[in-house]
Amino acid sequence: MTKRGGKRMGAGRPKGTNHYGEPTKPIRIPVSKIDRVLRFVREREDMVPLYGNEVPAGFPSPADDYAEGVLDLNAHLVREPTATFFVRARGDSMIGAGIHDGDLLVVDRSLEATNGKVVIVSINGELTVKRLRQAKGRTWLIPENPDYPPIDFQEQDDTHLWGVVTNVVHSL
Amino acid sequence: MTKRGGKRMGAGRPKGTNHYGEPTKPIRIPVSKIDRVLRFVREREDMVPLYGNEVPAGFPSPADDYAEGVLDLNAHLVREPTATFFVRARGDSMIGAGIHDGDLLVVDRSLEATNGKVVIVSINGELTVKRLRQAKGRTWLIPENPDYPPIDFQEQDDTHLWGVVTNVVHSL
DNA sequence: TTTTTGAATAATGTAACAAGATTCAAAAAT
DNA sequence: ATTTTTGAATCTTGTTACATTATTCAAAAA
């Protein structure tokens, strides 16, 4: 078997043919999170396509490239990770605001609780969700259901305003 | 200034004093995702505390350890990443199911569309969300709003059932 | 007894490396 | 002339190695 080849121009693997189509860099990751991170970078988890109301061409091509219209739920719903928490809603006193029994509420403590915002308050150790209404120097907590009465915030003991509800997650 | 120290037992930084409290390993990450990954591993983003309805002790300790009751929205809402997509809801025909105009619907194409499920269907190129009702060998799409009439699925042209709605994200 | 200091040791970001993957044109085969 | 085979060239990729930084603690100094 004699030698083949010799000097050749243009030989070799071309740049940009890697798995991601872009350069990579080694980053030090705590071992318990390596699985999560690898799934994220390799299988484009967390990046789910978002469609409007017309059926788009090629809909719903499963693993194609969704350069546009891709949505990460965490980034979308949690703006300030360190100031955000979830609360499970109970009862139907806020049904008019689209909050149902058992819904998951996304609460941002870094937002200012201004007039008209839906807020989480604690009254005597119990968390509740109501709409904040400030008028004539007084503050009211208004249920969004005619079966429930407004609450005079000043009359309550042991109250605290915990944050503003930004999103409601309802399971079907 | 003379020399201090000398041989000492027990000197040196102790093991396990790293930022994460566990060993780390370098993992190669595509550059565009490095920011996202670093935020995830460093600031425990995506792991937001979940509370019930009583104010827990130490609530809401901002960056403490929430060993329990921590929730990742992506993992919670997207069970099958490759089979999931989002659709923006339009109109109020499903108001009774808690679906409002502008809500974000999480749709899983891997779930079977059985009787009673809320589904996404396309009719003549338009996406719509309705409740599936199968009876007497016929299939109906039922709006959850008395102002809208049921749709006879068989009578429509160019229809396709795209998936089952698992969650509704409503912004306030 | 308290404070200061620096040797010892681990953590951490990144460069470097070895092994594997990929391409393409020269050589061989048809 | 055309197609197939082959291996040198080059890039990718998981991991190791390393230089720098951070941290601790007991000896030395105050």
Side-chain angles (χ1 to χ4, degrees), chain B:
Chain B
M1 200 157 303
T2 57
K3 197 161 92 126
R4 315 205 179 191
K7 197 148 198 170
R8 261 147 306 170
M9 288 290 297
R13 182 178 185 165
K15 260 185 197 169
T17 58
N18 60 337
H19 187 244
Y20 305 111
E22 58 176 325
T24 62
K25 249 186 74 165
I27 300 292
R28 200 171 277 276
I29 307 286
V31 290
S32 70
K33 291 185 172 177
I34 288 179
D35 277 359
R36 222 15 254 300
V37 167
L38 284 182
R39 252 188 303 150
F40 172 63
V41 299
R42 286 220 265 253
E43 296 174 23
R44 61 182 97 201
E45 193 188 355
D46 305 353
M47 297 307 264
V48 172
L50 167 65
Y51 297 107
N53 275 85
E54 278 80 50
V55 180
F59 178 84
S61 36
D64 284 357
D65 280 317
Y66 301 100
E68 294 275 296
V70 158
L71 194 64
D72 179 333
L73 268 185
N74 283 318
H76 186 67
L77 299 182
V78 181
R79 295 288 176 84
E80 290 289 340
T82 58
T84 300
F85 62 92
F86 300 134
V87 176
R88 187 74 62 184
R90 284 291 155 223
D92 57 356
S93 71
M94 287 297 283
I95 196 82
I99 299 175
H100 303 73
D101 186 55
D103 284 358
L104 190 72
L105 307 180
V106 183
V107 185
D108 189 333
R109 301 200 299 123
S110 72
L111 294 178
E112 197 188 351
T114 54
N115 187 32
K117 295 273 186 187
V118 174
V119 296
I120 294 288
V121 296
S122 63
I123 301 179
N124 293 314
E126 186 105 357
L127 290 179
T128 186
V129 52
K130 295 287 179 290
R131 195 176 292 276
L132 193 72
R133 200 54 82 178
Q134 294 164 312
K136 299 176 191 160
R138 295 195 71 79
T139 301
W140 295 83
L141 298 173
I142 314 287
E144 223 137 295
N145 181 334
D147 297 343
Y148 294 79
I151 299 169
D152 187 327
F153 196 55
Q154 279 82 13
E155 282 183 4
Q156 310 302 318
D157 300 328
D158 185 23
T159 63
H160 194 263
L161 203 157
W162 287 113
V164 175
V165 179
T166 59
N167 292 94
V168 182
V169 178
H170 178 64
S171 290
L172 292 178

